[in-house]
Amino acid sequence: MIQGRVIKRRVLLAAAAASLMAGRSATAQTDAATAWPNRPLRFIVGFSAGSTPDLIARTLAEPLGPLIGQPVVVENKPGASGNIAADLVAKARDDHTIGVMINVNLTIARLLNPAVNFDPRRDLAPICLVGTGPLIVALSPKWKDKATLDDLRAAGATLNYGSVGIGSMGHLGMEILAARLGIKPTHVPYPGNPQVLQALASNEIDVGLVPAGLAMPQVRAGAIVALAVASSHRSALAPGVPSLAELGVKDLDVEVWVGVAVAPSMPEGHRKKLEKLLLEIIGEPEVARKLVNQGWDVAALPADAFARRLEAETSMLAAIIEKQHIKAD
């Protein structure tokens, strides 16, 4: 009888030990599965090395690596105004691919071109906004003595303006401003903002929306005229330049910006961790200094606020795209 009890007790102890070991094993497996990142992160940029999104990606990658204990590799996948890279990010299923993107990729890519293979609202999950670049309503030097919105209204359809292409913020922003002013200027596309600035300086075009970081040196040199910052507030990047709101154009904020997004398949816990770390990095004085030197106002919007901004901006830009029947080439 006693021997039977001993045997039974040994069996129970063995079972308990096996259960404990199984529990520890399961916990270890769960911990291993949730450890993130467990290999190098990929920052995908849709523009070439040295471009502004590329510089931001590298500014973030350098401090992020030591924080996560993994390398952060910046990969440039230029083409289609960043949409090739955005599509790659949208389709990623490895939980280690992260996109550093501009306005169009996260808002109106598919509205401009229905052939785009991803839907920004459905296929990309915002992580954070990093920096915003104010746009200057820049005029050619022939407007130096009469640079007012009323003068632009009076010029009406005789005006022409430059941008870096159909669907760019310089293009869409000018179309919105023109609609507010009640005029229909002619759009002249250029390969890049340096060419837009040159066309302004040579009186080839009348007006353009140009990033402050590029425009202000030309303004200070007297080559072009800064009429306003294309937003409801002034910018430290354009000292002394009034906002459009101050000139009577209310509720119009047109900026270029760079933000971070991932595929929505990335687990929420990983997304939250990435968001927290990136916001900490953007808040570091040295990183903020680098962003300002690159021509950006530091933004640091968390995912929820960034998502609200995306919805509002998509609606604003969609309205002008529909009204003017704008389609990308």
Side-chain angles (χ1 to χ4, degrees):
M1 185 73 171
I2 293 174
Q3 185 178 5
R5 290 177 180 171
V6 170
I7 293 172
K8 183 176 181 181
R9 187 177 177 213
R10 288 175 177 170
V11 170
L12 291 172
L13 287 173
S19 177
L20 179 61
M21 291 300 293
R24 288 176 176 171
S25 176
T27 299
Q29 291 175 6
T30 300
D31 289 344
T34 57
W36 183 90
N38 52 25
R39 60 180 182 275
L41 291 182
R42 302 166 65 209
F43 271 14
I44 306 298
V45 180
F47 299 87
S48 60
S51 64
T52 47
D54 173 77
L55 293 176
I56 283 187
R58 295 178 192 279
T59 298
L60 299 177
E62 184 179 354
L64 180 59
L67 288 178
I68 61 174
Q70 294 285 348
V72 182
V73 180
V74 177
E75 297 183 15
N76 300 94
K77 305 288 184 181
S81 300
N83 286 330
I84 291 174
D87 184 52
L88 190 157
V89 173
K91 292 179 169 56
R93 296 296 180 266
D94 60 6
D95 299 340
H96 287 69
T97 297
I98 298 158
V100 180
M101 306 180 188
I102 62 170
N103 308 47
V104 174
N105 310 138
L106 280 165
T107 56
I108 54 171
R110 205 165 194 179
L111 294 174
L112 286 170
N113 184 0
V116 167
N117 292 324
F118 67 95
D119 181 339
R121 285 175 164 172
R122 182 193 66 204
D123 300 328
L124 291 167
I127 298 296
C128 66
L129 182 63
V130 180
T132 60
L135 294 175
I136 301 297
V137 183
L139 304 177
S140 69
K142 74 178 182 182
W143 294 90
K144 187 172 185 179
D145 297 325
K146 52 175 184 176
T148 70
L149 289 179
D150 285 338
D151 291 318
L152 296 185
R153 286 191 183 96
T158 65
L159 284 175
N160 52 38
Y161 73 91
S163 84
V164 296
I166 294 174
S168 66
M169 292 306 293
H171 171 222
L172 297 177
M174 271 304 304
E175 287 295 325
I176 295 171
L177 178 58
R180 294 282 190 94
L181 297 178
I183 59 177
K184 293 184 178 181
T186 300
H187 177 218
V188 183
Y190 291 88
N193 279 308
Q195 289 82 5
V196 174
L197 287 167
Q198 179 58 41
L200 281 168
S202 62
N203 289 311
E204 185 178 309
I205 55 175
D206 296 291
V207 61
L209 287 184
V210 187
L214 295 175
M216 291 310 294
Q218 300 295 315
V219 172
R220 288 190 287 269
I224 62 175
V225 178
L227 176 60
V229 179
S231 67
S232 57
H233 57 276
R234 294 193 180 200
S235 169
L237 297 174
V241 181
S243 67
L244 276 177
E246 292 176 71
L247 301 185
V249 181
K250 306 293 185 181
D251 302 320
L252 177 57
D253 287 279
V254 182
E255 300 174 311
V256 292
W257 50 253
V258 173
V260 177
V262 298
S265 60
M266 180 182 284
E268 184 177 2
H270 300 351
R271 282 185 267 156
K272 289 292 184 184
K273 181 176 181 179
L274 179 62
E275 175 190 358
K276 178 176 180 294
L277 291 174
L278 288 178
L279 291 175
E280 289 176 1
I281 288 169
I282 298 165
E284 293 177 2
E286 179 62 17
V287 171
R289 183 188 65 79
K290 287 182 179 179
L291 292 174
V292 170
N293 287 343
Q294 292 167 13
W296 299 95
D297 285 326
V298 178
L301 277 187
D304 54 351
F306 188 22
R308 289 193 295 272
R309 175 171 179 146
L310 292 178
E311 284 296 319
E313 188 166 307
T314 300
S315 296
M316 177 186 73
L317 297 177
I320 197 67
I321 288 170
E322 182 179 353
K323 180 179 179 181
Q324 305 287 52
H325 307 289
I326 297 170
K327 293 296 178 186
D329 293 334

